[in-house]
Amino acid sequence: MTLHSTDNPLTPRPIGDTLSDVARVAAEQAPYLARLLRMHESDLLFSSEAALAQQCEEEISAIGALGETPLEYADLEPLLRRAKQRVHLMLAMLDLACAWSQERVTDALTRFADAALEASLTSALAVHRASPSGFFVFAFGKMGAYELNYSSDVDLAVFFDPETFIAESRGAQEAAIRVVRDVCRLMETQTEDGYVFRTDLRLRPDPSATPAAVSVQRAANYYEEVGQNWERMAWIKARPCAGDFEAAKALQDELRPFVWRRHLDYWTIEDVHAIKRMINAKVGDVDLGAVDCDVKLGPGGIREIEFFAQTQQIILGGRDPALRQRGTLDALAALAQAGCIPADECTLMTEAYGGLRAVEHRIQMLNDAQTHTVPADPSQRERVARLMGMPSLAVFDDALTQTRRQVQATYSALFAEDTDAAHPTRAGNLVFTGVDDDPGTVATLHVMGFSDPTRVISTFRRWHKGFVPATRTARGQALLTALTPRLLEAMSATGDASTAFTNFERFFEGLNAGVQLLSMLDKEVDLLNDLVSSLAIAPRIGRILSQRPSLLESLITREAEARLELAEGASFEEAMDAARRFHRDQLFLTGHALLNGRLPAGQAAASWNKLAREMVVAMSGAAAAETERKFGPVPGRWAVMAMGSFGAGELTAGSDLDMFVIYDPDNSGMATNWFTRFTQRLTTALSAPTGEGVLYEVDMRLRPSGRAGPVAVRLSAFEKYHATDAWTWERMALTRMAPVAGDMDLARRTLDLALASIDAHRRDPELSNDIRDMRARLRAEKRPVGDWDIKSMEGGLVDIEFFVQKHLLIAGGRGAITPNTFDALQKLHEAGTITQTQCSSLQESWTLLSALRQLLKLCLDATPRTNTFSAGLKDRLCGAGGVDDFDALEAALADTYARVLRAI
């Protein structure tokens, strides 16, 4: 849109007809200026504006002269502070009288800062007996552009050349750090005379990892390897301000290709555009009517004008040197002269900049505080209005609002053609450039539900710098910049933003690369939301995805490899890796479907069991082939028998596999060694870690004699053991046995022997007591840790399992024995062992408890406690439980435990 402006309503007016009038009004309205007037009024030349201006220049020159001769710190400190007081006071009088323009005032403030810094550096170098050669300071930001405020920090970066910077008593690096430390102390230590300037060294390369003074080699390497676009923009305003100017110019010349790129690739331009969109993500929904606004950082503020110029400078300045202006107003004029912006936009932004800077200065004149916020209190805001020369507070408020609206409208139109309508954002300020935590961003993240905004900001800043594999390339960094607002909104939408962020951080930093994933997320809005919500609820999914982010493609296509196909002639190791890749894909797809309701929780066990059986079949085949290759043909028959939850078809995400190998030997005499080797290879194939991970932990303790027995069980030994030596708990385990792989005739023979053992002992008088004692010992050894310890709670899954297995042992008979708990309840009812009420009650309870446990095992690694449940997990659990809210679910869970205890 085109905006037209005449005189900006925020232009300041003189607050008095004479300098004496100006001083009187200033003292009435600004406590800081009143204090300075009491201290120095008698020293100032108030006879005319010209005389006061000359005196101000002489004061700055006198401080500049101190840079030629070192002084003792005790002498220099008060000289600098008192000079600063006088310069502040004189400039404030000239400013409030409108005798000097804003540009002239800020130029003088900056020149005084240069002089004070040079004087401090000269003295510090002398104290440490260091040569000035090769040691220099760059000013950034407002100091670099000669735009300092009254109460500005000075943004500095200190560099040295170890080849030429020499100190008598220590190495160059240590000496440089000591010099910087002393310079900063001379400038910012608060004494009875106040301070000179607060110093900020965080615009140096990688401030969290570099010393206060950085060698020129390290700086050049940093910018070449990981320099960011926002750092290029910071260097637009950078200039040498103290020390060895020739050495400083050499570094600046070396960095010129980094700052001013003649040819920008697509992703660099996109990154600059994305930074702009990120900084003002809430365009069209900002509070431009607030009277207590931040005139620097808020919408329609000074930073938007600066960024309006800098974004275009950084994109166009590589080809047009005329655009390489440090000052904001000079940059706007150059952009208009080059035809990059309309003349009326240049005029509007120039006038608005002057008005907003005038307000900023007058806010700081009140108490010499580093603030840019207009006071909310009307009486305090009235002081600012009076210092602006406004006839009333209402006129001032209206003028400020009008100016901010004009700036914001012009700023929001910048790169309007690049706004991605497919990626709307409802966030507020989201700024991750620079080194300060943007106050608006901190506030926005708090509102979005992040408990520690500082951690979020520092993490995204680190990612944007390329300190993780996913963003080591410029394209990855640019994509992340573009995605950041939507990522944060997706985290907020989970209802537990901090957990979502922590889980996404773990996932993102585990990636080996990121461009493909980030590109996919940039194109697929729903996929981004899906990923973030899944990670928030189920960290297990994040670990799988960090190893293989390409799995996300299957969520778009809804296609996945349905069967494991091992290449013909594949080696044992190749088969193990192929199985792991397939298994990881299926784990993710099954888990994601369960998490998002496409796989009912009640059907999840069947999916996990199907996958486990397929893996055991494939790996037992590979183990048999490898054993044959090394030890000759198989000397007999073998079968793999599943036990426990595996045998019962009741696996959850991450379950171990209870199983054992049984064999029936031939007469070759080779069987024991061969089947031992085979079993060891099968265990390796399933549980040994490779570059592709592991499949399952394997537990073979339910074989006869447990760990004490041979790893492969001979059929005759199995028969003898269970006929004469087995314990009651081992016969309970037999009720959950099922064949998985190998010779199915042998598997059926094994099942027949198990049933025979059960039948033979069904009338054992100690059976019920044994089972009751086992349950009591188990309760004592494994106490539940809370109401959501669904397996171990009284009335939980273990109680139902013990009840079923006890009655299966008592009932015996081929018709009643079935490994699945739900089916076994039905069989027991049909056999007349339990009542219809017991059967229905326990089946309903088993269904609910199993469904909830499926989700908990998928989503949580630790024992479930409600204070660790995310809002998303609670929502999924409620869906599985068929209730509307979590309180109702907890009530249903308690009722279920009680119902189980009544039934058993």
Side-chain angles (χ1 to χ4, degrees), residues 60 323 356 433 455 474 481 519 542 669 731 834:
I60 294 173
L323 300 180
L356 292 168
T433 59
R455 177 170 167 262
T481 303
S519 298
R731 294 194 180 92
I834 63 174

Side-chain angles (χ1 to χ4, degrees), residues 135-138 235 239-254:
F135 189 97
F136 52 91
V137 184
F138 269 89
W235 273 90
R239 65 176 176 84
C241 64
D244 186 341
F245 280 76
E246 186 175 341
K249 183 179 182 302
L251 177 62
Q252 197 162 25
D253 289 343
E254 185 175 359

Side-chain angles (χ1 to χ4, degrees), residues 573-626:
E573 290 74 17
E574 289 170 340
M576 288 170 63
D577 282 342
R580 280 153 175 75
R581 288 190 293 270
F582 176 84
H583 179 259
R584 187 170 58 217
D585 293 2
Q586 297 304 312
L587 275 181
F588 166 70
L589 293 171
T590 301
H592 186 273
L594 171 60
L595 190 64
N596 290 279
R598 288 191 292 275
L599 173 65
Q603 298 176 21
S607 295
W608 299 126
N609 263 72
K610 178 177 179 293
L611 177 60
R613 293 176 69 88
E614 188 169 358
M615 292 301 97
V616 173
V617 168
M619 291 299 92
S620 60
E626 179 70 0

Side-chain angles (χ1 to χ4, degrees), residues 7 52 131 136 151 190 196 260 286 312 380-381 436 507 551 580 590 641 649 718 734 744 785 793 808 821 897:
D7 291 338
L52 189 62
S131 70
F136 52 91
S151 303
Q190 187 84 26
V196 189
W260 302 110
V286 293
Q312 298 177 85
Q380 292 299 310
R381 202 163 67 257
D436 289 318
F507 157 72
L551 283 171
R580 280 153 175 75
T590 301
M641 307 299 291
F718 179 88
L734 293 179
M744 288 299 105
V785 294
M793 275 291 292
L808 288 175
T821 303
Y897 292 145

Side-chain angles (χ1 to χ4, degrees), residues 480-557:
L480 177 65
T481 303
L483 281 169
T484 294
R486 287 189 289 130
L487 272 173
L488 292 167
E489 285 187 333
M491 294 173 191
S492 177
T494 65
D496 189 349
S498 294
T499 297
F501 170 73
T502 297
N503 292 347
F504 183 85
E505 177 186 25
R506 188 180 298 119
F507 157 72
F508 193 65
E509 296 191 356
L511 295 172
N512 292 321
V515 169
Q516 183 179 1
L517 169 70
L518 292 169
S519 298
M520 201 187 316
L521 297 178
D522 188 48
K523 293 180 176 66
E524 300 285 343
V525 179
D526 291 341
L527 182 62
L528 182 146
N529 295 329
D530 188 314
L531 170 64
V532 171
S533 65
S534 296
L535 292 175
I537 302 169
R540 184 188 301 276
I541 288 180
R543 287 197 297 276
I544 296 171
L545 280 176
S546 65
Q547 295 173 314
R548 198 168 178 189
S550 60
L551 283 171
L552 286 173
E553 294 180 15
S554 63
L555 300 185
I556 302 172
T557 62

Side-chain angles (χ1 to χ4, degrees), residues 40 58 65 91 123 125 129 153 262 267 270 277 314 373 390 427 433 460 465 518 603 671:
H40 299 288
E58 290 172 353
L91 289 175
S123 295
L125 288 170
R129 299 197 296 277
D153 286 357
R262 185 167 181 81
W267 293 106
E270 268 298 293
R277 289 194 296 268
I314 206 69
T373 302
M390 295 290 176
T433 59
F460 270 92
K465 276 186 171 290
L518 292 169
Q603 298 176 21

Side-chain angles (χ1 to χ4, degrees), residues 206 280 435 500 681 748 898:
D206 195 10
N280 196 28
V435 293
R681 278 168 175 73
R748 282 190 288 273

